Each structure stands twice: as structure tokens, then as C-alpha cells.
Amino acid sequence: MFNKLSIKKKMIYWNILIIIIFAIILYFIMNNALDRMVHEKEIQIKHITEASYNIIKKYIKLEQDGKMTRKVAMETAEGIIENARYDGTNYVFIDDIDQRQIVNPTRPEFKGQLQPTPPETMALLVSSMKQNKEGDYFNFFTKKPGFEGTFRKIAFVKPIPEWQWFVGTGAYINDIDEQRTEYIIELITISSILAIFLMFGGTFFANLISVPLAKLSKDLIQSAENMEKKSKYLTQMSENVGNSSKEQANSIQETAAAIAEVTSMITRTSALTVQSGTLAHKISEGTAQGGESVNRMVTSMEAIQESSQRLSDIEAIIKQIETKTMVINEIVTKTELLSLNASIEAARAGEYGKGFAVVAEEVGNLANTSGRSSNEIRDLLEKSRGSVQEILQLTVERVSEGQNKTIEVKNTFEKITTDVNDINAQMTQITDATREQEIGVKQIASAMAKIDASAIQNTESAEKSISASTDVFKISKELKDIAFKTENIIFGEMKIASKPR
């Protein structure tokens, strides 16, 4: 029955059981509370009575020692006892053996008057007085200040034979009941808080445990179902692999025979490509030598081109000389103008400028001579530049024509060399490829032999895989059963009905 409950309900019922047990214990505690409180109150009133008794005995001794008269001692003791209080308003009373009230703070108007003490209680008091007992407990009904009617009271009374007094104090039972009621209310409040805490705490922790477990159980069932599907699929694939392996073994044997024929043909082709490669290499060497000759011709043409460039440099130098000559002519012109100005200034100077006039004239003559020489140099430079330009133009044309022809020949040889090199490279690649094909075909033949053996092993492995898939399927079934058992623990055995078949 208990196994059919979920974890959450189990924890809730467990908390309810704890609350019930706690309530039973609380019930017994409350029942014993009054007796315990009465006992504690009896001890308290006994100690207070004995303390009051000791105070009175102190003044009895002072009377016996002659330090006080009886009247003064009694009045002093009465005053002290009358002012004594404990627990707020509780007090100590004194009566004499004739039932007259000596001290009662709640009823001072009855001081010296007879008290309505029950006869049986009075008999016990007189007996304790005569026997000088240590004191007795008394239960009786009396009036309570501020209330109507009588209330049960318990008191501890101790006799004082020297003065024929009885000193004591007591407690009303209904006060104890009120204390017990307050105590019970506190216990019920604490119990209620504890019950609420247990219920909500139990529910919270149950959810804290059951929710992750439920998710785990769900994931476990899902994984088991997936494993079951995968195991079925694996079994089917293993059977397909076994059938394919058998067909593959037959195909491999046929392929091995075809590869043997291809190997023989590739060996023959490899020998022919080696011969073609040798011939292409010789042609490549011849074209390389022709290319070198053309390169030397191109170099010679470049040297001629360089010479023509030097003629161009000479022309540039002639142009520079002509430019310098023009500068000299400009200087000559300025010198002549300067000589003329000097002659004019010398003429103005008169006698003092004659010597300077001679110098100016000589400078003018020198300038004329330099001008004529400069013009002659310029004429020669123009003739030289014309000749150099004709020679340079003719040389450039011849060199350009030879260079163009040479470049055409060079380009032709370079194209032939490139084509021959490409042929040679292709023949080398064909030779290498043929060798690699021969090696590859041999490796393929070896691999086919290994594949044939592997196909046989695959067939055996497929059979073993089918057996292993069957075992995995059984394990997935067991895993699913474990998942449902876990779910039953979480949600109770009522979930068993939802288990798929």
C-alpha cells in the first residue's frame, strides 16, 4: 500500500505522522502542565513561608534576649510581613490560634476579627501547633479580591508556638490555570508554526527531489526507447552489411582479374613513354643552344645601341657648348655697351678721362674680337651638330632594324624552347605518372587482395554484430524496466498502468 504512493505523498504523510505524534506528546505535556505548575507553586509558597517564619523567629529571639518587648517585636514583625510581596500582588498572611486575623494586606479591615476557617482545617492547625510541626499544605475555598464567589486555594502554613501564630502564604488554583492556559497557547502556537513549516518544507523538499528524478526518469525512458530503436536499426544494418560483404567478395575477385590485365598494359606504355622522353630531351638541348646564339646576337645589337646612345651624348655636349657660346655672345654685347658708356664718360671727363678712354677703346676692340671668334665657333658647332645628327639618325635606323629582326628571331627561338620544354616536362610527367600508375595498380592489386580478406572478416563481423545488436536490444529492455521502476518510486505504483508493452 505504501509503495503505491509517490515520493511527494510519502513525505507529506510522514510529516502528518510526525505532527500527530507531536500532538499526542503535546497533549500529555498539557495534561501534566497543571500538576507540574501546582508542584512548583507548592515549593515556592513553602520557601516564602519559611522565609517569613525566619523573619518572625528573629524578632522572637530579640524578645527572648530582652532587646524588645513582645508588643514591639510583634508589631515590627507584622509590619515587615504586611509589606512583603512576590509575583506582583501575592502576599504573606498571619492568623492566631483563635482564628483571628493578624496580617492580611488584601483585607486590612478584618484585622483582629475571627476568620471563617473550616473545622477540619482548624483541627489540623491546632494539631500542628501542639506538635510543633514544620508546616503543612492546606486546600480550601476562599474569596478572591476583586472577584465574586469563592475560589480554590492552596496554602503552606507554618505554626509559631511562641506567639500562638500561624504564618503562611498561598496561591489560587485559577491563577495556575491561567498560567497553564498561556503555556498551552504558546505550545499550540509553536506547534502550529512547526506543522506549517513541516508541511510546506516537506512539500518543497519533495518537489526538490521528485521533479529532478521525474525528469531523469523521463530522460532514462526516452534513452531506453532510443536505444531499442537503434538496436533494431543496428540489427537490420548488420544483416545488410553481411549480405553486402558477400556480394563485395564476388565483385573483388572479378576486379582483381581486370586489374591484372591493366597492369600489363601500363607496363608496356611506361616503356614507350621513357623512349619519347629521351627524344624530347635531345630536342630541348638543341633549342637551348640556338637560344644561346640568339642571346649573343642580341647582346651585340645592344652594344651598337649603346654606341648610338653615345653619339646622342656627343650631340647633347655640342648643344651645351652652343649654349655656352650664346652666353659668351651676350657677355660680348654687354662689354661693348660697357665700353661705349666708358668712352662717353671719358669724353665728359675731358683731360682727366683720356687715359680711361684708351682703355675703353681697347676693351671695345677685345669685345669685337671675342664676338667674331664666338660667331665662328657657333658656325662650326652648327655644322658639327648637323653631321652628328645625320650619322646618329642613320645609325639608329640601322640598329633599330637589326634589333627588331634579332628580337623576332629571339622570340621565335624562345617560343620553340618553351614548347620543347613543355613537351619535355609533359613527357617527364607522363613517364612519372605511368610509373606511379604502375605502382598504384600493383598497390591496388595488393589492396584488393586485402579487401577480399577484409570482406570475409566483415561477413564474420556482421554476424557477430547481429548477435551484439540482439544483446543491446535486451539491455535496452532491461534499462526501460529500470526506468519504469524508478518512475514508480517517484510517482507510486499506480503509474504501472502506463507502462508500454
Side-chain angles (χ1 to χ4, degrees):
M1 179 64 182
F2 193 70
N3 292 331
K4 294 182 179 180
L5 300 176
S6 64
I7 291 178
K8 185 175 181 180
K9 290 182 178 179
K10 287 176 182 178
M11 293 194 71
I12 292 173
Y13 290 153
W14 175 252
N15 289 333
I16 293 173
L17 179 62
I18 292 174
I19 292 170
I20 292 172
I21 294 172
F22 186 77
I24 293 171
I25 295 172
L26 183 63
Y27 174 77
F28 284 105
I29 290 173
M30 288 188 296
N31 284 338
N32 293 328
L34 179 60
D35 295 336
R36 187 172 62 254
M37 289 181 176
V38 170
H39 181 66
E40 291 175 356
K41 186 60 70 174
E42 287 176 349
I43 295 173
Q44 182 186 21
I45 61 177
K46 180 180 179 181
H47 290 164
I48 293 171
T49 299
E50 289 178 347
S52 301
Y53 173 80
N54 291 331
I55 291 172
I56 296 171
K57 290 292 289 183
K58 174 183 176 183
Y59 288 98
I60 290 173
K61 188 168 187 316
L62 291 174
E63 179 201 351
Q64 291 174 351
D65 292 342
K67 295 180 180 180
M68 282 187 180
T69 62
R70 172 169 290 193
K71 183 179 180 181
V72 174
M74 284 182 175
E75 290 177 352
T76 305
E78 288 175 9
I80 293 172
I81 298 301
E82 188 172 4
N83 292 322
R85 296 289 186 276
Y86 66 94
D87 291 344
T89 59
N90 289 332
Y91 60 92
V92 179
F93 63 86
I94 300 175
D95 291 338
D96 63 8
I97 196 170
D98 295 327
Q99 302 182 41
R100 287 192 300 268
Q101 176 181 305
I102 305 300
V103 173
N104 190 333
T106 61
R107 292 178 291 182
E109 67 275 10
F110 297 125
K111 186 173 183 179
Q113 297 182 10
L114 295 176
Q115 300 299 312
T117 305
E120 60 275 10
T121 302
M122 192 62 199
L124 291 174
L125 289 172
V126 173
S127 174
S128 64
M129 177 74 74
K130 292 179 179 180
Q131 295 176 12
N132 195 17
K133 290 183 177 181
E134 293 297 324
D136 286 316
Y137 289 99
F138 295 92
N139 287 285
F140 54 92
F141 287 88
T142 183
K143 292 183 177 181
K144 185 177 182 181
F147 295 90
E148 296 292 335
T150 59
F151 295 88
R152 184 185 172 196
K153 190 174 185 179
I154 182 172
F156 183 83
V157 180
K158 193 174 180 67
I160 304 175
E162 292 83 355
W163 289 351
Q164 296 293 297
W165 281 2
F166 294 99
V167 63
T169 186
Y172 290 98
I173 299 300
N174 70 321
D175 291 340
I176 299 174
D177 288 337
E178 290 177 358
Q179 293 180 3
R180 184 183 70 165
T181 302
E182 293 176 358
Y183 177 67
I184 290 171
I185 291 172
E186 291 178 358
L187 288 178
I188 291 173
T189 303
I190 294 171
S191 302
S192 300
I193 294 172
L194 180 61
I196 293 171
F197 174 77
L198 287 174
M199 292 299 294
F200 283 97
T203 304
F204 173 75
F205 284 109
N207 290 330
L208 199 64
I209 296 171
S210 62
V211 171
L213 285 177
K215 186 177 182 302
L216 178 63
S217 176
K218 183 179 179 181
D219 294 341
L220 190 61
I221 292 172
Q222 186 66 36
S223 299
E225 291 176 353
N226 292 335
M227 184 181 289
E228 186 176 354
K229 292 178 182 178
K230 295 295 182 183
S231 63
K232 290 180 181 178
Y233 179 74
L234 182 61
T235 303
Q236 184 179 359
M237 292 301 296
S238 299
E239 293 175 353
N240 294 336
V241 169
N243 296 330
S244 299
S245 298
K246 293 177 182 179
E247 295 176 358
Q248 185 181 8
N250 296 329
S251 300
I252 288 171
Q253 292 176 357
E254 296 176 358
T255 306
I259 288 174
E261 295 179 2
V262 173
T263 304
S264 176
M265 294 175 66
I266 289 176
T267 302
R268 185 177 178 184
T269 302
S270 178
L272 293 175
T273 53
V274 170
Q275 295 176 1
S276 299
T278 302
L279 181 60
H281 184 68
K282 291 180 179 179
I283 295 171
S284 177
E285 290 179 352
T287 54
Q289 292 176 358
E292 290 177 357
S293 299
V294 171
N295 288 331
R296 286 195 293 272
M297 185 183 295
V298 171
T299 302
S300 299
M301 295 304 296
E302 289 176 352
I304 295 171
Q305 180 72 19
E306 185 178 357
S307 298
S308 65
Q309 184 66 33
R310 289 180 180 177
L311 288 174
S312 298
D313 295 340
I314 292 171
E315 183 184 5
I317 292 170
I318 290 172
K319 287 181 179 180
Q320 292 178 0
I321 294 171
E322 186 177 359
T323 300
K324 300 296 183 182
T325 304
M326 292 174 67
V327 173
I328 293 171
N329 288 334
E330 185 177 355
I331 294 171
V332 168
T333 301
K334 291 181 179 181
T335 304
E336 289 177 350
L337 180 61
L338 182 63
S339 174
L340 179 61
N341 291 332
S343 297
I344 293 170
E345 291 298 326
R348 288 179 180 178
E351 190 65 25
Y352 296 100
K354 289 182 178 181
F356 187 71
V358 174
V359 174
E361 184 179 359
E362 290 298 326
V363 170
N365 294 331
L366 180 60
N368 291 328
T369 302
S370 298
R372 286 193 299 272
S373 298
S374 175
N375 290 329
E376 291 174 358
I377 291 171
R378 186 174 60 185
D379 292 337
L380 290 174
L381 287 174
E382 287 179 355
K383 292 179 180 178
S384 298
R385 186 175 65 180
S387 299
V388 169
Q389 286 179 348
E390 291 177 358
I391 296 169
L392 179 61
Q393 184 176 3
L394 181 62
T395 303
V396 169
E397 290 176 354
R398 298 291 175 83
V399 169
S400 177
E401 183 179 357
Q403 192 173 13
N404 291 333
K405 297 295 183 182
T406 304
I407 290 172
E408 290 178 0
V409 174
K410 180 181 178 183
N411 292 333
T412 302
F413 267 96
E414 286 179 350
K415 187 174 185 305
I416 293 171
T417 303
T418 301
D419 294 339
V420 171
N421 289 332
D422 291 340
I423 294 170
N424 190 17
Q426 291 175 0
M427 292 304 297
T428 303
Q429 292 176 358
I430 292 170
T431 303
D432 294 338
T434 305
R435 289 176 183 174
E436 291 178 357
Q437 288 177 357
E438 184 178 3
I439 295 170
V441 170
K442 290 180 180 179
Q443 291 176 348
I444 291 171
S446 176
M448 291 302 295
K450 293 180 180 179
I451 291 172
D452 190 14
S454 177
I456 297 172
Q457 292 180 356
N458 287 340
T459 304
E460 296 176 354
S461 299
E463 294 175 354
K464 293 180 181 179
S465 179
I466 293 171
S467 177
S469 299
T470 304
D471 294 337
V472 171
F473 183 75
K474 291 179 181 179
I475 292 171
S476 66
K477 288 283 189 183
E478 294 175 357
L479 184 61
K480 187 183 290 186
D481 292 336
I482 293 171
F484 279 110
K485 289 178 181 179
T486 304
E487 191 177 22
N488 291 336
I489 292 172
I490 297 170
F491 299 106
E493 290 183 354
M494 293 302 292
K495 285 284 184 179
I496 195 81
S498 65
K499 178 180 177 181
R501 299 293 182 186

